[in-house]
Amino acid sequence: MAEKNIYPRFNFCGDIVIPKRNNPWVKRDTYNNSEKISLNMGIKNGMNCVYVSAQGFKNDTIKTKNVDNEDIEIDWDDRFDKDTVDMVSSMRKYVVNLGERKEFITAWDMIEYLESALTGYAEPIVVAGIYKLRPGTGAYKDRIFEEFQIQNVYAAVDGKDTPHLTMNLDLYYDKNSIDRSEEKSEGKIFMNCYTPMWSAADGAQKMFPVSTVFNTSVLDLSKEKHKRIYDLKMRYLETKSKNPVHMNWAIGVVNGAEEKEFDESCLTDIQREFIEAGLNKLEDFKPRGNIYGEKVHELRLIKPLVKDEFKDCKTAADSDMTAREFEDMIYSPSEDETVDDMVKSSYKKPATKSAKPAKVEEDDDDDGIDTLF
């Protein structure tokens, strides 16, 4: 296991999308005699849109942590007191700055503030928070759902905050995790990994399956810089170890249709026949505007994060677990845990057998690794 648990955090920058099917985007309900509030909205970057959410409960007592990471309890009516807010750990606060900085110690108050502040808001924002994998229940008990839980919201700053949908994940894998069957045909290498997360049902940290993609189609291996990027990534992905290794990775979240180049694969048989006869050229059939392919949802590997405990790692780090020890840590569904039980449980720090998969020419100077995914 890692010397320190690594928070799976996301950071998105883009335009706000209010879901049409789920209006109102802020909902109020009850659960176990407690009032409940929830928020759901999208953050859009180009044709990609990822939905983020937050849920809060109103209780007489707020259970949280102080700046020394000790458990504390705060009366509900004292939650706006400045001295009370100051003594709460920054990791347990919710911060919003859309022109005026606001700090909250409950998700409830953050949601109520955002409901008003974001109504009619037309500028790009930055949303950061925690990525969680939530087990389904009942008929969906064999499925795992992903959630992007909001903790901080800021107004995007021109020239500083560029549109992006990224996060980090501590990924565990072994020699059997890599799948290169579509590398030549589709330009994709799949990594069937696991990542550590808290399981409320088990009262412990467990390993949850997560499928990631190395998108090699964006690389031109005839270019020296692109080849170097490919070799560097593969050095951290390939392993001969039957025991799990792990690495903290920067991930690009793709959820939408991607722009594609118009080529002969876009033609109908009739159009191709006319081109072969010399009656038309390829450009004659190119539609106006951009061309988009099918919608995809992928977690794409941007780069290993070689800092903190990984700063000296030339390859993925040893997990200090045997394959058998790791297998015992893999999450298995519980029949008794409900969705609201898992949501209401406070987030805790995350502590390989292969996982099942969750299903333009540029100058070399501009080929930054962060944009090639």
Side-chain angles (χ1 to χ4, degrees):
M1 291 290 291
E3 292 179 10
K4 295 181 180 180
N5 293 316
I6 297 171
Y7 282 94
R9 301 190 64 85
F10 71 89
N11 187 292
F12 297 162
C13 178
D15 297 318
I16 304 168
V17 176
I18 303 299
K20 295 180 181 179
R21 291 179 299 174
N22 295 327
N23 281 326
W25 60 296
V26 174
K27 296 182 181 180
R28 291 168 174 82
D29 203 348
T30 58
Y31 174 72
N32 275 0
N33 298 320
S34 292
E35 294 181 59
K36 172 184 172 182
I37 190 171
S38 60
L39 175 152
N40 185 45
M41 65 180 181
I43 303 299
K44 187 176 183 182
N45 175 14
M47 293 300 292
N48 285 307
C49 183
V50 180
Y51 280 85
V52 296
S53 62
Q55 296 195 16
F57 296 85
K58 181 183 285 188
N59 296 300
D60 293 336
T61 303
I62 301 165
K63 295 182 179 181
T64 185
K65 299 273 190 181
N66 64 16
V67 292
D68 296 320
N69 204 36
E70 299 168 331
D71 292 329
I72 57 172
E73 294 187 358
I74 298 170
D75 288 340
W76 181 261
D77 292 337
D78 294 335
R79 68 193 191 281
F80 294 126
D81 181 79
K82 185 179 185 306
D83 291 337
T84 300
V85 173
D86 289 345
M87 75 178 182
V88 174
S89 166
S90 61
M91 296 302 294
R92 293 302 183 98
K93 290 180 182 177
Y94 302 87
V95 180
V96 179
N97 191 340
L98 298 172
E100 180 183 5
R101 183 181 174 89
K102 297 283 187 179
E103 290 189 358
F104 307 99
I105 62 173
T106 71
W108 179 284
D109 294 308
M110 177 191 68
I111 294 170
E112 285 204 323
Y113 180 80
L114 290 175
E115 182 180 22
S116 173
L118 290 180
T119 298
Y121 195 89
E123 300 299 320
I125 63 172
V126 176
V127 179
I130 298 164
Y131 174 74
K132 289 207 71 175
L133 294 172
R134 174 176 61 78
T137 59
Y140 302 100
K141 67 182 180 65
D142 293 328
R143 295 179 61 185
I144 294 177
F145 300 89
E146 64 179 7
E147 292 181 349
F148 296 91
Q149 298 181 353
I150 303 169
Q151 187 169 9
N152 303 315
V153 179
Y154 301 98
V157 178
D158 287 342
K160 175 185 175 183
D161 298 313
T162 57
H164 62 266
L165 299 169
T166 58
M167 66 176 181
N168 73 285
L169 274 181
D170 187 14
L171 296 176
Y172 285 70
Y173 42 94
D174 62 19
K175 66 178 184 179
N176 297 317
S177 298
I178 193 166
D179 178 359
R180 304 179 70 168
S181 60
E182 296 185 23
E183 181 177 5
K184 290 185 178 180
S185 61
E186 301 296 331
K188 291 183 180 182
I189 298 174
F190 296 93
M191 290 295 296
N192 301 316
C193 310
Y194 285 89
T195 195
M197 298 225 172
W198 181 260
S199 169
D202 298 282
Q205 182 174 262
K206 289 292 182 178
M207 292 291 175
F208 285 77
V210 58
S211 181
T212 61
V213 178
F214 177 10
N215 182 27
T216 63
S217 67
V218 296
L219 299 176
D220 180 353
L221 298 186
S222 66
K223 292 183 177 181
E224 182 179 350
K225 189 169 185 178
H226 284 215
K227 181 64 165 60
R228 189 173 184 181
I229 290 171
Y230 177 89
D231 290 341
L232 258 178
K233 284 188 176 183
M234 291 303 296
R235 196 172 84 196
Y236 287 88
L237 291 175
E238 290 186 303
T239 177
K240 296 180 180 179
S241 176
K242 64 179 181 180
N243 295 323
V245 296
H246 76 120
M247 191 71 204
N248 195 19
W249 280 85
I251 303 287
V253 184
V254 177
N255 188 54
E258 293 190 287
E259 187 174 351
K260 60 181 291 187
E261 185 178 352
F262 183 78
D263 57 24
E264 291 189 2
S265 67
C266 303
L267 299 172
T268 67
D269 290 341
I270 297 299
Q271 289 173 331
R272 198 172 288 108
E273 185 178 1
F274 270 64
I275 290 176
E276 290 173 353
L279 296 175
N280 288 96
K281 297 179 180 179
L282 179 64
E283 301 78 51
D284 296 337
F285 298 116
K286 184 176 181 179
R288 293 181 179 179
N290 298 328
I291 304 167
Y292 297 95
E294 296 180 0
K295 183 176 179 179
V296 297
H297 177 76
E298 291 177 347
L299 301 180
R300 293 189 179 168
L301 298 159
I302 300 177
K303 62 183 177 183
L305 296 173
V306 285
K307 58 184 181 180
D308 301 326
E309 68 173 281
F310 300 102
K311 63 183 179 181
D312 295 319
C313 291
K314 294 183 178 179
T315 62
D318 190 347
S319 68
D320 295 325
M321 285 187 285
T322 66
R324 183 54 184 267
E325 289 171 336
F326 187 83
E327 186 174 354
D328 291 339
M329 287 195 64
I330 294 175
Y331 170 80
S332 59
S334 168
E335 295 286 349
D336 301 324
E337 188 175 28
T338 68
V339 171
D340 278 313
D341 285 338
M342 291 179 286
V343 169
K344 197 171 182 181
S345 299
S346 60
Y347 173 78
K348 299 193 178 182
K349 292 183 181 179
T352 109
K353 203 144 179 127
S354 295
K356 294 180 181 178
K359 284 193 175 189
V360 182
E361 189 73 14
E362 300 175 346
D363 293 332
D364 278 344
D365 289 342
D366 295 327
D367 292 341
I369 188 170
D370 289 348
T371 62
L372 292 176
F373 66 89

